[in-house]
Amino acid sequence: MWLVLGSGVSLVIVDALYLRSLNQILQYIVPGYLLGGCFLLIGLHARKLLSFRDAWEKTYHPLPNEKRTEES
């Protein structure tokens, strides 16, 4: 996570100081990279959340609307 955020910040700084003066097409790369980084972070968070939820359910923590049976 910190690598994606750090590289995004450094890319924005380099873009603001140097890349925009080179070529106008490069101005579309930075927002695309940042948007892709955001989707990557959201995906990583969702995968962690799902694995935590599975581990929680495997340790016999029922949801509030479920009742425990004698088997569990």
Side-chain angles (χ1 to χ4, degrees):
M1 178 177 83
W2 292 110
L3 183 63
V4 173
L5 292 175
S7 64
V9 168
S10 64
L11 186 62
V12 167
I13 291 171
V14 168
D15 177 55
L17 297 176
Y18 184 68
L19 291 179
R20 298 223 177 187
S21 64
L22 291 179
N23 194 351
Q24 293 297 327
I25 195 70
L26 293 175
Q27 69 184 349
Y28 299 112
I29 293 173
V30 174
Y33 178 80
L34 294 176
L35 188 65
C38 288
F39 283 130
L40 176 69
L41 290 176
I42 290 169
L44 289 174
H45 178 70
R47 188 167 35 169
K48 265 187 164 180
L49 184 65
L50 287 175
S51 71
F52 174 75
R53 193 175 295 159
D54 289 341
W56 180 264
E57 289 174 358
K58 285 181 183 177
T59 57
Y60 304 110
H61 291 93
L63 294 174
N65 58 356
E66 295 179 359
K67 294 182 179 177
R68 284 191 181 204
T69 61
E70 293 181 19
E71 298 172 0
S72 30

